[in-house]
Amino acid sequence: MRPLKSLLLPLYLFYGSAVIQGAAVLNNITDAFIEKVLSDWGSPGGVGIAVVRRDGQDNWTVETKGYGVATANGSQVTEKTLFAIGSNSKLFTSIATGLLINNESISPRLSWDSKLASVISGWALEDSIATKQASIIDLMSHRTGVPRHDFSYKWSDSVPSVIKKLKFQRLSTEFRDVWQYNNNMYTALSYLPTALLPSKIPFARYVKQHILDPLGLSSTTYSYDVAKTGHLADGFTRQNINFSVNPFVGTSKTFPYWSTIGGEDGNILSGAGGVVSNAVDMATWLQMLLLNGVKPGTDTQIVGTDVIQRVATGITVVNSVAPFPELSPSIYGGGQTVSTYRGHEVIEHDGGVPGFTSLVTRLPFDNLGFAVLSNDQDYGLLLMNVIRYQQLVTSAVPPPPAFPRPPNATLPSVPLTSLSGIYDDGGYGESELCYVSSVYPTESESCRELNAYLSVILPGAVEPGVPTFIIRWDSPWASHLKLSHFNENQFNISALLSVVSLFFPVLWLPMLMQGVAQPNKDQESEPFWTYSSQSPGVNAEFVVNGSHIGLAFTGIWGAGAGVSDPQGPTVRDRAEVWFDKV
């Protein structure tokens, strides 16, 4: 994700007088403003904020504070409330890689230009040149030619299996041609401590030993098991938003924590987005970055100055044209974007995982840094930008609707039930499509089970009268994918999350399914609720050629703006991901 600079007045205007005068930034006026923003936007959650400033005499002013609601039980956000920081974890990964590069015990020595093929066994991409030449710098700065392919990995994967899938994933550009954000490459980087060190230490434990503990980031962790014993926030979303009436009003729902497996060893997304932290630790982290690797309050060099400077050095162009005269083009280093505002260098990154968003920014020549952490799924990033920039200059635009299904839509060229079955793509793995709009004799046992409990685990997900397939997906971003019929062999794709209702009596679930129990008025009426995300242009198309059936996904690989869609005369040529029916 990239900061929405083009929408907002920069924070430097907000903080300028405070920085000069040394006055508190998080004062009564700011408090009232933030509380009003949370109220006006109907946020079910809140924010944790850290602001750090250093004056000309090397004296620090550190402010941390919380606002709004932290958990479903109504507890308030404080400076110690823990939030998932999403892709702001990538800077931890880049710096951990730098520590390995500076480790003289590794032989042969590692460098920023080291080729992945030389350090990770079995490393391969679809393109042979990219396979041989892809370096740490290439992965770190998102220029491998591989788009996001975020739906390729699943919780059942391991880091090695995610890496193994890469060679089957279609490239969308030439190697080193275009900046394309890619979580999988940071997963690959997270494998380096295990691959290179004799101890085979898991990545998350390596970061804890070499970064978190030395810096005193005692609340920061990759482990849900550790975080839940502290002050972990709940992630909130709004369901049933009517954008045409009021885009800020909806039914507040609580996400279960998005990443619960792996413990302190971490999991497949630790390197890309696994860190949990709070405003207090983020303040220390920002101070260390502004001090070029020195632990604040000491003379101890935790991270080499060369590492801090390398990852903050722009490598790949993100935006080649400045959107406004005050702004510059932006370039990507390692887990950070570098740009300027009116001559002031800005180094920053945002992050987002289900239920949480984050924004970590520093202005190194102004000795200023700030972090804003949110547990508002829907508008967290906008809220954070409003808070840091204070004044929104254009209203938020709701997402465009998906194309409506034609009233006289033509059904696919073969019976819908014949499209059910197991489909395979080397880069995404096997998936079973279950036709859920009716019961049919040839459905598999797993599809029969899904059909039986569909209305319970995915309430409201299927529109009556619209032929629909459901795929169990089990990824960090979706528990299921929905393919709803559009016209002929084309379907719209939606990502679904089956979410357990927080206050439903779980022990009653079997009785509810059998129709012998009902919750009382103080309990949620449904054991699950469905979070649905659909974007225009995310589509599936079946191709039937005799007895062979193929399935093309488009709009799903996350190549980014400025990258052309795959071209060619056939549906398969134009597919971003191609599945063959097994």
Side-chain angles (χ1 to χ4, degrees):
M1 298 173 67
R2 283 173 282 173
L4 302 180
K5 287 188 191 175
S6 59
L7 296 181
L8 308 160
L9 287 175
L11 175 77
Y12 193 77
L13 294 177
F14 178 31
Y15 287 144
S17 60
V19 173
I20 294 171
Q21 299 171 10
V25 172
L26 302 182
N27 53 32
N28 291 339
I29 295 174
T30 304
D31 293 348
F33 172 77
I34 293 174
E35 295 290 359
K36 187 175 188 304
V37 168
L38 293 173
S39 175
D40 288 349
W41 286 58
S43 178
V47 292
I49 298 178
V51 181
V52 301
R53 293 168 291 152
R54 183 173 57 162
D55 65 20
Q57 286 73 47
D58 287 337
N59 298 312
W60 284 96
T61 300
V62 178
E63 301 175 71
T64 56
K65 195 174 281 189
Y67 305 85
V69 178
T71 63
N73 65 16
S75 64
Q76 298 296 291
V77 177
T78 72
E79 71 276 8
K80 295 182 179 179
T81 300
L82 291 166
F83 298 81
I85 69 170
S87 287
N88 272 300
S89 308
K90 288 181 171 66
L91 182 53
F92 288 80
T93 305
S94 297
I95 288 176
T97 303
L99 295 180
L100 291 170
I101 288 170
N102 286 349
N103 185 338
E104 296 180 358
S105 69
I106 295 176
S107 180
R109 289 291 299 275
L110 195 66
S111 77
W112 297 106
D113 294 318
S114 291
K115 305 296 187 282
L116 269 292
S118 70
V119 293
I120 294 181
S121 176
W123 167 265
L125 298 177
E126 183 188 50
D127 177 72
S128 60
I129 294 176
T131 295
K132 295 175 182 178
Q133 295 298 321
S135 67
I136 288 173
I137 283 286
D138 295 319
L139 272 66
M140 186 177 76
S141 63
H142 301 303
R143 61 176 191 180
T144 61
V146 185
R148 294 182 73 124
H149 285 298
D150 274 333
F151 283 89
S152 64
Y153 47 85
K154 301 177 182 178
W155 286 126
S156 56
D157 277 312
S158 63
V159 172
S161 72
V162 171
I163 294 172
K164 186 177 180 180
K165 287 180 177 181
L166 294 176
K167 66 180 178 181
F168 300 106
Q169 292 170 9
R170 187 171 181 180
L171 276 66
S172 60
T173 68
E174 296 293 328
F175 178 56
R176 293 179 182 164
D177 190 29
V178 175
W179 179 85
Q180 292 188 112
Y181 201 79
N182 192 305
N183 287 313
N184 285 316
M185 298 307 161
Y186 273 78
T187 295
L189 290 175
S190 75
Y191 192 58
L192 293 179
T194 307
L196 295 173
L197 297 174
S199 65
K200 305 298 182 185
I201 186 172
F203 168 78
R205 291 190 183 273
Y206 178 81
V207 174
K208 177 176 171 57
Q209 290 181 16
H210 294 273
I211 298 176
L212 305 185
D213 290 347
L215 280 174
L217 305 183
S218 58
S219 297
T220 303
T221 182
Y222 288 89
S223 169
Y224 167 72
D225 297 327
V226 172
K228 72 179 180 181
T229 64
H231 304 274
L232 181 61
D234 289 325
F236 292 106
T237 187
R238 303 162 180 78
Q239 198 177 28
N240 303 319
I241 299 174
N242 189 334
F243 287 106
S244 64
V245 177
N246 188 334
F248 305 116
V249 175
T251 304
S252 177
K253 291 289 187 178
T254 307
F255 277 109
Y257 191 72
W258 77 288
S259 174
T260 60
I261 64 175
E264 292 194 81
D265 285 345
N267 58 48
I268 58 171
L269 281 180
S270 292
V275 171
V276 184
S277 193
N278 60 22
V280 173
D281 279 6
M282 282 288 99
T284 302
W285 178 245
L286 282 163
Q287 287 178 281
M288 182 276 293
L289 294 171
L290 289 167
L291 288 168
N292 284 315
V294 173
K295 181 178 180 179
T298 75
D299 294 324
T300 306
Q301 191 85 37
I302 304 299
V303 180
T305 298
D306 61 316
V307 174
I308 299 297
Q309 293 178 349
R310 174 71 273 188
V311 298
T313 299
I315 301 164
T316 310
V317 175
V318 178
N319 293 314
S320 59
V321 178
F324 294 103
E326 297 84 357
L327 303 178
S328 72
S330 56
I331 46 179
Y332 200 93
Q336 300 166 107
T337 300
V338 185
S339 61
T340 66
Y341 169 71
R342 290 186 172 177
H344 297 267
E345 185 179 45
V346 179
I347 305 173
E348 63 185 351
H349 208 283
D350 58 15
V353 293
F356 297 93
T357 53
S358 69
L359 191 61
V360 180
T361 303
R362 68 188 189 275
L363 286 71
F365 292 103
D366 297 282
N367 292 306
L368 169 66
F370 47 89
V372 187
L373 315 177
S374 168
N375 60 341
D376 187 322
Q377 162 74 19
D378 304 295
Y379 296 126
L381 184 59
L382 281 172
L383 283 169
M384 292 186 299
N385 275 287
V386 170
I387 289 168
R388 74 166 180 159
Y389 289 113
Q390 190 180 22
Q391 184 177 357
L392 188 67
V393 296
T394 64
S395 58
V397 179
F403 290 109
R405 186 173 184 242
N408 299 315
T410 301
L411 290 176
S413 57
V414 295
L416 287 157
T417 54
S418 68
L419 299 175
S420 287
I422 296 174
Y423 290 74
D424 181 62
D425 171 79
Y428 279 52
E430 285 192 352
S431 302
E432 184 174 20
L433 274 70
C434 295
Y435 181 57
V436 296
S437 295
S438 67
V439 178
Y440 53 99
T442 58
E443 69 178 339
S444 68
E445 182 62 33
S446 57
C447 287
R448 190 175 298 114
E449 179 182 296
L450 177 64
N451 248 325
Y453 297 127
L454 184 67
S455 63
V456 175
I457 63 173
L458 291 170
V462 178
E463 183 180 350
V466 178
T468 302
F469 294 88
I470 296 289
I471 310 172
R472 289 185 179 91
W473 206 253
D474 186 33
S475 87
W477 318 115
S479 62
H480 301 76
L481 293 186
K482 178 177 74 172
L483 277 60
S484 54
H485 186 244
F486 174 69
N487 194 36
E488 298 181 334
N489 285 5
Q490 297 176 331
F491 288 70
N492 290 320
I493 301 176
S494 300
L496 307 178
L497 272 176
S498 174
V499 186
V500 177
S501 297
L502 189 63
F503 298 113
F504 184 85
V506 177
L507 294 177
W508 287 18
L509 185 55
M511 292 184 288
L512 177 74
M513 289 183 168
Q514 296 170 21
V516 297
Q518 293 293 329
N520 63 45
K521 63 182 179 62
D522 297 322
Q523 296 159 338
E524 294 201 45
S525 60
E526 295 179 331
F528 296 87
W529 57 276
T530 305
Y531 179 80
S532 177
S533 174
Q534 181 180 5
S535 299
V538 182
N539 303 312
E541 184 171 357
F542 291 94
V543 176
V544 181
N545 186 7
S547 61
H548 177 266
I549 298 177
L551 176 61
F553 279 7
T554 56
I556 198 170
W557 65 355
V563 178
S564 300
D565 295 332
Q567 304 295 315
T570 69
V571 173
R572 181 165 189 166
D573 290 333
R574 298 189 296 272
E576 297 168 0
V577 184
W578 176 265
F579 295 87
D580 291 295
K581 187 175 182 184
V582 177

